[in-house]
Amino acid sequence: MSRTDFLDGLNEQQRAAVTAPSGATLVIAGPGSGKTAVLTRRVAYLVSQLNVPPSRIMAVTFTNKAAREMLERIERLLGENLHGLTIGTFHAICARILRREATRIGISPSFTIYDTDDQLNLVRIALSELGLDEDRSAPRKFLNAISNAKNELVTPDLYPQGNQNDRQIAQVYARYQALLRAANALDFDDLLLYCVKLFHDHAQVRYDYQARYVHILVDEFQDTNTAQYELVRLLAGAQGNLFCVGDPDQSIYRFRGADYRNLTYFRRDYPHAKVILLEQNYRSHQIILDAAMAIIDKNTDRVRKQLYSVRRDGAKIALKQLSDDEDEAQYVVWKIREAVRLGRYAYRDCAVMFRTNAQSRALEEAFIRANVPYKLIGGVRFYSRREIKDLLAYLRVIQNPNDDVSLRRIINTPPRGIGKTTLAKLEEWALSRNQSLCDALSALRRGQPSPFSGKVLSALEEFAAHLEVWRTLRDTAPVGVLLHAVLDQTAYLQYINDGTDEGKEKVESVQELVRVAEAQGNKPLALYLEEIALLSDVDAYDEAADSVVLLTLHAAKGLEFPVVFIVGLEEGLLPHAQSLEDEEQLAEERRLMYVGLTRAKDEVHLTWAARRIGYGGSLGERTQVSRFLQDIPPELTVGSPVPKRGMGAALSVRQEAPLRPAWRPPMPSQPEQLRREHPPRSANISTTSLYRSGQRVYHDRLGEGVIIASRFVDGDEELDIRFEKHGLKRLFASIAPLRMLDEE
């Protein structure tokens, strides 16, 4: 391939980036500016024009999905498969390095990577052992503090001791690390921390990796934390062939330790770095870009980019004020259905974005009622389902015998006569022998004297025998065969298949896991488990599925859609209440809005509610419209006027009754056709009232509640119910799984 082939279709700034000389290069890439094209062509340029072997190149991304797409595009450019290129996320690359170098830092190469649930369990154990009070939120608070410390490369012995709270965190941190070490496990943050420690403490290892990776490329550089930046700096060494692409205006992961100031540190550490701005946008039309720039320009101390697009004929930003959150959800669903009905877009072309996970509730209910397909990114992931976690725990114990957290999960799942008392006795016996639970089980199997006898001893020995058989299979049989063996010998499918719809769904989930496992071929079990542990929600997003995408603004990074709805544009939601007194946090909220807007190709719809109900059981207070809406010049918008700050949402008389939606879809242009497609509820639902005000009811998911009001809407009984744990909800009697408690 000739040099000019790589440059075809690139603008001047993109060409300068792709052909930059060796050394440090920083590309400030605006949204939709073709940074992936630059990164992929840069790798292809290094290989074909500068004759750099693929094995000497490392390309770091932030999602597995992005890594796969980059590799496919590079191979298409070169017309060949690239062997030896290291490409993946920080965590995946660090995991590979640590598998190779584990013994140098005192861990086994068979280490397990713990997910958040596993980590929280260890924190609970640490709190219990240290005799510290554990309120409901304590484990997560401690885990967040530990994670933040690791991101800043602070080990337990270096943790500050300023006050009692700090000292307690240091204690829990130290015990938590000891428990991880005993289980031969690492958490996500350890993957980075241990890699940095490896390169700091072992100069020869560092030199070897510096010699191996002559060129390092990093995507989304603004989202790196201290540990990631130090890792890149150590790997680059004196030669400093770093090619970093990022945009400080899109730094939105401060809560994960990301620090956009790393771009400033980069320029400090590499003063001769070439800096290139990518400002031409290939995604959105100019009105969307102008609105986004109007919002982000309020942030200070930033490198200003003048985003521009050749598309000048786009629609204005559509603004809509609704009465409450359910009204808002109904409006969004109707707008999407109309766009699909008219053939303008498919469902998959539309995304609905929001600031907090709690906002998805009203949206999901509206999509379900309208029978509109949707996919919630960040909901219950496949690998987070109970039955899937059970089977993965079996595989993890087979791979890593020291993984006591996973063993506790499976030792009596399905039930095999090993209850909590027996497990506690086994743990005590293992501790007295300075052994893991697996080693203690093996000792029982060998006939070692123990405190167990009778049926309990038989159950423990039988379980230990299964573990030995599976562990023998581990190194000889494919993952699919091993999983079949576990299912057959535990009768797990029979255990979960209780004849209910939920049971059938669980069986289908397990069958899907088996299918995926069988597709792994002869992939080592350790690698299979590692890939699952490092999956993110976005990695599972199927762009081909014809469903509306519901997601938080944080999850939207890296995605794009023809039509974007951003809901909840109110002070306290976006920007979030926790940011209103902190300038740095408020600046990040502004960046979050900027990211959301620039995901859109063709249309942007921004909505807000006069009242927001359904949270904490409150009927809702009058809202203040988001300051971000007021930042957008009026000439760029159409629809509802934006109230001035301090005037709430300018409630009308109709909106003062928040339980009755003020908005209704306009009359369709073809009413007879619409009636045939969507017959009214009254066609098949009785209009006889089944419930009364004050009636106590039970909902299968929401628990106990009291009916506040009942009315008929389109032939169905609509109920307002105040639930003890979930506050006020509005449900339709025909589909809600309700039981009347007073009459049981």
Side-chain angles (χ1 to χ4, degrees), residues 386 390 412-415 490-498 506:
R386 181 174 181 176
D390 284 348
N412 202 41
T413 305
T490 61
Y492 188 83
L493 286 175
Q494 293 90 320
Y495 163 63
I496 60 175
N497 190 4
D498 57 4
K506 289 179 179 179

Side-chain angles (χ1 to χ4, degrees), residues 176-214:
Y176 171 80
Q177 287 302 104
L179 290 168
L180 280 172
R181 177 74 63 147
N184 188 35
L186 304 181
D187 63 22
F188 298 120
D189 301 313
D190 282 333
L191 296 172
L192 304 173
L193 178 67
Y194 277 63
C195 240
V196 171
K197 179 177 173 58
L198 172 71
F199 293 141
H200 265 300
D201 296 350
H202 300 274
Q204 189 56 54
V205 175
R206 181 170 72 250
Y207 298 149
D208 290 344
Y209 278 90
Q210 288 173 350
R212 175 174 180 175
Y213 296 118
V214 179

Side-chain angles (χ1 to χ4, degrees), residues 490-533:
T490 61
Y492 188 83
L493 286 175
Q494 293 90 320
Y495 163 63
I496 60 175
N497 190 4
D498 57 4
T500 64
D501 290 341
E502 183 181 2
K504 293 175 183 176
E505 185 177 331
K506 289 179 179 179
V507 170
E508 290 173 358
S509 295
V510 171
Q511 290 170 340
E512 174 65 11
L513 180 68
V514 171
R515 187 193 65 76
V516 172
E518 289 175 339
Q520 304 303 308
N522 291 318
K523 180 180 292 183
L525 177 60
L527 181 57
Y528 169 68
L529 292 173
E530 178 182 302
E531 290 175 351
I532 289 174

Side-chain angles (χ1 to χ4, degrees), residues 695-713:
Q695 172 73 52
R696 290 177 63 249
V697 294
Y698 183 85
H699 187 284
D700 289 351
R701 180 170 59 85
L702 302 174
E704 292 189 20
V706 176
I707 296 175
I708 304 300
S710 169
R711 69 187 69 81
F712 280 92
V713 177

